[in-house]
Amino acid sequence: MSAAEHEANLAENIKQLVERLKRKSYRAKLVRRHYIPMGNGGVRPLGIPATEDKLLQLAVKRLLEAIYEQDFLSCSYGCRPLVGARTAVDELRVKLQFGGYHHLVEADIKGFFDHLSHEWLMRMLAERIDDEPFLRLIKKWLKAGVLDTDGQVLRPESGTPQGGIISPVLANVYLHYALDLWFERVFRRGCKGAAFLHRYADELRDHFSLAAEASIHEEPGAGKPHAGICAGPAGSAVLPQSLSKATTEMLSYLQFREAL
């Protein structure tokens, strides 16, 4: 059913959807896959949910935001209400100007949306949500079949489709536990110098005042979190940091082309 068809009888369609939820007969529909070109010559897969699944995901997204926005750390930007690229740039610029950070580790998380562990995510959600029907609903979307462009139906064992309304908030919940809390409560406490994490969705920059600690943090497997987190090959590097260079780099990092 198209969005226009769904809207034509919106009240009745919503009523039927609610009834199916109450009867526990709701089933997530196939997610349609589309591919968009990337700057490196590759393609990025997007997953487009069915109209009624989008509607339901929007409601669940708002509930998750109400729960987790109070938990997310100040190092987390992107895919959050009122915490976007402009806020990330402004706050990072202040830290770089006055914080005494001279080295950074820049990385992106290898295939994060494709390899996010369903098992770990459900365990993380259960830390704050004691509602089995609600958790089962999210799991249905994670396990929903993907209709590829060649007509083949794929059954995902991991990941959450980029393009799904609920995917960004689930990604932030996952990285909150697997990366943000680990950096603040485990890694940073062991640093002799100053250090902070700046994460925008699945791209991250770790800033250090001491080169030695930046180098240790960049080494493969050295004090890294688990739960499926893996930096891409050559996706991380220790860079000496000057204010002018860092300003240029952070604009590229955030894909933010507007001059400050």
Side-chain angles (χ1 to χ4, degrees):
M1 182 184 298
S2 68
E5 292 170 337
H6 197 276
E7 185 181 13
N9 194 20
L10 184 60
E12 182 61 26
N13 287 330
I14 291 177
K15 179 181 177 181
Q16 291 181 10
L17 176 58
V18 171
E19 288 300 321
R20 276 183 282 138
L21 286 169
K22 290 179 179 179
R23 297 196 306 267
K24 300 181 181 180
S25 62
Y26 166 80
R27 297 291 183 270
K29 293 180 172 57
L30 293 177
V31 175
R32 290 183 294 111
R33 173 157 289 176
H34 293 269
Y35 294 92
I36 59 174
M38 299 175 61
N40 61 5
V43 294
R44 182 189 300 275
L46 293 182
I48 311 300
T51 301
E52 73 169 15
D53 290 347
K54 288 181 182 179
L55 185 64
L56 194 52
Q57 285 187 20
L58 179 59
V60 171
K61 170 181 175 288
R62 290 175 176 172
L63 289 173
L64 290 174
E65 287 174 346
I67 295 169
Y68 285 101
E69 277 299 315
Q70 61 190 318
D71 292 355
F72 289 152
L73 304 186
S74 60
C75 63
S76 169
Y77 301 88
C79 306
R80 295 179 55 194
L82 305 179
V83 188
R86 169 61 69 178
T87 304
V89 168
D90 289 345
E91 295 187 4
L92 180 58
R93 179 174 56 180
V94 171
K95 280 184 175 286
L96 296 180
Q97 284 178 321
F98 305 111
Y101 301 98
H102 306 295
H103 304 274
L104 68 91
V105 177
E106 187 175 41
D108 58 64
I109 301 172
K110 182 180 179 182
F112 172 69
F113 282 91
D114 294 330
H115 299 108
L116 176 153
S117 167
H118 293 171
E119 178 184 359
W120 274 105
L121 176 59
M122 298 310 299
R123 289 172 62 181
M124 293 166 181
L125 290 169
E127 289 289 318
R128 290 285 274 119
I129 300 171
D130 186 18
D131 187 325
E132 284 298 324
F134 188 83
L135 294 175
R136 283 199 300 269
L137 181 60
I138 293 174
K139 192 169 184 179
K140 286 180 180 181
W141 291 326
L142 293 175
K143 298 297 185 182
V146 178
L147 179 62
D148 211 340
T149 53
D150 61 1
Q152 182 179 4
V153 176
L154 309 175
R155 300 294 177 182
E157 296 296 328
S158 62
T160 181
Q162 287 181 273
I165 291 175
I166 201 171
S167 294
V169 67
L170 292 179
N172 271 330
V173 169
Y174 195 98
L175 291 172
H176 169 73
Y177 285 103
L179 182 62
D180 301 350
L181 287 177
W182 165 83
F183 188 93
E184 290 297 321
R185 296 182 180 180
V186 179
F187 183 81
R188 193 165 71 88
R189 289 181 179 180
C191 293
K192 295 180 179 179
F196 80 93
L197 168 67
H198 187 276
R199 179 177 63 79
Y200 191 91
D202 60 342
E203 298 181 14
L204 58 106
R205 294 162 61 98
D206 303 327
H207 300 256
F208 301 88
S209 60
L210 301 179
E213 290 175 340
S215 297
I216 291 173
H217 184 56
E218 193 266 343
E219 291 174 2
K224 294 292 194 300
H226 49 88
I229 298 297
C230 179
S236 61
V238 178
L239 304 172
Q241 181 167 269
S242 65
L243 179 59
S244 60
K245 181 177 180 181
T247 301
T248 301
E249 288 173 347
M250 71 182 174
L251 290 176
S252 174
Y253 151 67
L254 294 170
Q255 299 179 339
F256 201 85
R257 300 293 181 243
E258 182 179 350
L260 293 176

